[in-house]
Amino acid sequence: MHPKELSKKLFTEKYHKAPTLNVYAPGRVNIIGEHTDYNDGFVMPCAINYGTSISGAPRHDHIFNVFAADLNESDEFRLDQPIEPNPNEKWTGYVRGVVKFIQERCPEFHQGADLVISGNVPLSSGLSSSASLEVAVGKFCQELANLSLSHTEIALIGQKAENKFVGANCGNMDQLISALGQEGHLLMIDCRSLDTIPTPVPENIAVMIVNSHVKHDLVTGEYNTRRQQCEAAAKFFGVKALRDVSIAQFHKKEAELTALDVDVAKRARHIVTENQRVLDAVQALNNGDISRLGELMNASHISMRDDFEITTPEIDYLVELAQSVIGTSGGARMTGGGFGGCIVALAPTDKVDAVRQIIADNYEKRTGLKESFYVCTASQGVHKC
């Protein structure tokens, strides 16, 4: 059952009445532009047809009573008292954090509610289950109390919750695409200005996602280390963020930076070249040139593997298998924060079965892990349903 139906059904069963408000926010896959978001750079994700649904109704008090159906766990907190983290359950931080920062922005928000949450974004896969949850909670609060918040503001509140309340130093891409996604389109986002350019997915091109089932948890050190290394590189170049460094400028001072810190130089090279790849990808898509897009995706993967050093042997093997079938008719790369999670591949729909087959025949045999394979469509961002 789709989360939209499931959350409604479970709410009705739990409270013996129909919900009065239903919202849905999608997960996302990033096609190209990895770790560029917190460097004020460019990304190109799309919202996918997996997401988080919330069904609920207002209460006559200030209590937020939340039931997470997929985990079979509940959380309750008051909106007329300071909102603190619940140390026992990590998932509650995404809900509490969003409500806390909505109150910071809209101090009049004290409306209690009963909520049932259901989602089908695979957890710990790098498809942004957390951003999907944050944006859904933000939209629910906005509709519940008729708050004057735009979808962009809801996204940024979600990011703030993840940064300041949960403690994961993510950029703004995941929440922005969950809030602003457009059906049938990838969305190029300028993470500094928040300008977006919808770029159509060409006809008969499939978006495939393969979950390696190598688990990752970004609240732990590696992600924050990469972020610090990028900040150190920006400082070296004397700029606000690596977005401000061109490839030519990077090459001019590359040797000097490498002599100072080889890892920082490698991280910077990935970000500077990746930003350019995103801009080139917009051009390729506008020209309907999937072969060129594929080259850029493949180059992005090599850069993440060798310069940003965030892939794993399992992920590299999945990419290699997919690329061997796709050839020049598309591309494949790791997607998400890294150290596990998923790969994304774009290719003509008539290649899907062959990609699925070669991975099914080989991946488990080599790694002992069984992949999950999804064919996705570019979907609409957060909405009432």
Side-chain angles (χ1 to χ4, degrees):
M1 191 182 281
H2 193 275
K4 288 181 186 179
E5 277 71 59
L6 189 58
S7 62
K8 287 176 192 173
K9 177 176 177 282
L10 293 173
F11 184 93
T12 306
E13 286 171 7
K14 200 171 167 62
Y15 295 104
H16 310 291
K17 61 178 182 181
T20 57
L21 175 57
N22 301 285
V23 302
Y24 176 82
R28 66 94 188 95
V29 65
N30 191 24
I31 304 302
I32 195 162
E34 220 63 76
H35 286 262
T36 44
D37 56 351
Y38 57 80
N39 288 287
D40 277 3
F42 305 102
V43 292
M44 193 191 275
C46 71
I48 56 174
N49 49 325
Y50 293 85
T52 304
S53 177
I54 301 179
S55 295
R59 292 169 59 107
H60 299 298
D61 57 21
H62 301 302
I63 290 172
F64 240 56
N65 176 25
V66 187
F67 176 63
D70 316 312
L71 303 170
N72 197 24
E73 288 176 7
S74 298
D75 185 37
E76 189 177 288
F77 57 96
R78 297 188 66 91
L79 272 64
D80 57 350
Q81 290 172 3
I83 297 171
E84 303 293 341
N86 173 348
N88 304 321
E89 299 296 346
K90 183 183 158 188
W91 70 269
T92 62
Y94 300 109
V95 182
R96 290 180 177 217
V98 169
V99 175
K100 180 186 174 79
F101 292 122
I102 283 182
Q103 281 191 327
E104 194 180 86
R105 181 82 171 41
C106 309
E108 73 278 12
F109 179 56
H110 290 291
Q111 173 62 59
D114 295 315
L115 297 75
V116 171
I117 301 173
S118 171
N120 63 356
V121 184
L123 298 175
S124 293
S125 62
L127 300 181
S128 242
S129 52
S130 57
S132 163
L133 173 57
E134 290 152 5
V135 170
V137 171
K139 179 68 173 169
F140 184 89
C141 294
Q142 180 222 350
E143 294 286 347
L144 179 71
N146 199 19
L147 304 172
S148 60
L149 291 169
S150 69
H151 283 179
T152 298
E153 287 168 324
I154 288 170
L156 296 178
I157 286 168
Q159 182 203 5
K160 191 172 186 182
E162 192 143 346
N163 290 172
K164 303 262 192 283
F165 203 87
V166 178
N169 224 351
C170 66
N172 56 20
M173 169 183 67
D174 298 352
Q175 293 82 4
L176 284 167
I177 185 63
S178 183
L180 303 174
Q182 292 188 22
E183 199 172 335
H185 289 75
L186 309 178
L187 202 64
M188 198 281 272
I189 303 172
D190 178 333
C191 295
R192 174 174 284 168
S193 69
L194 306 186
D195 290 341
T196 58
I197 301 174
T199 314
V201 179
E203 294 270 306
N204 303 320
I205 292 295
V207 179
M208 293 168 271
I209 299 170
V210 190
N211 188 345
S212 68
H213 289 288
V214 175
K215 287 278 184 280
H216 67 181
D217 184 355
L218 291 185
V219 182
T220 49
E222 290 286 359
Y223 184 95
N224 291 342
T225 303
R226 293 299 180 285
R227 193 163 179 153
Q228 287 154 9
Q229 289 167 329
C230 291
E231 285 162 4
K235 203 171 171 185
F236 169 82
F237 283 101
V239 293
K240 181 173 178 280
L242 285 175
R243 144 46 169 303
D244 300 308
V245 180
S246 69
I247 291 178
Q249 287 168 319
F250 174 77
H251 286 320
K252 212 166 158 183
K253 299 187 80 170
E254 182 178 6
E256 191 187 332
L257 180 55
T258 303
L260 277 175
D261 189 323
V262 70
D263 285 341
V264 168
K266 284 162 78 171
R267 308 303 181 246
R269 181 166 53 224
H270 166 71
I271 299 298
V272 171
T273 57
E274 187 79 346
N275 274 324
Q276 187 59 49
R277 282 188 284 270
V278 177
L279 299 175
D280 293 346
V282 173
Q283 212 172 351
L285 277 164
N286 285 333
N287 296 337
D289 189 345
I290 287 295
S291 178
R292 173 70 181 134
L293 180 67
E295 286 170 13
L296 293 164
M297 288 174 73
N298 299 346
S300 171
H301 184 79
I302 291 166
S303 182
M304 289 188 288
R305 183 190 70 199
D306 299 349
D307 283 342
F308 223 64
E309 298 182 277
I310 52 173
T311 70
T312 66
E314 297 88 349
I315 287 282
D316 293 337
Y317 187 49
L318 280 175
V319 167
E320 188 188 312
L321 289 171
Q323 286 175 345
S324 71
V325 172
I326 294 166
T328 58
S329 65
R333 61 186 278 281
M334 187 207 88
T335 186
F339 312 104
C342 294
I343 73 159
V344 62
L346 257 66
T349 45
D350 60 13
K351 297 261 187 188
V352 170
D353 289 343
V355 174
R356 191 195 298 262
Q357 195 61 53
I358 194 169
I359 290 172
D361 289 347
N362 294 283
Y363 179 67
E364 189 178 12
K365 217 177 277 176
R366 178 184 286 197
T367 64
L369 296 165
K370 181 74 187 129
E371 76 287 349
S372 301
F373 194 97
Y374 308 91
V375 181
C376 294
T377 48
S379 303
Q380 186 193 343
V382 70
H383 56 277
K384 273 173 73 175
C385 51

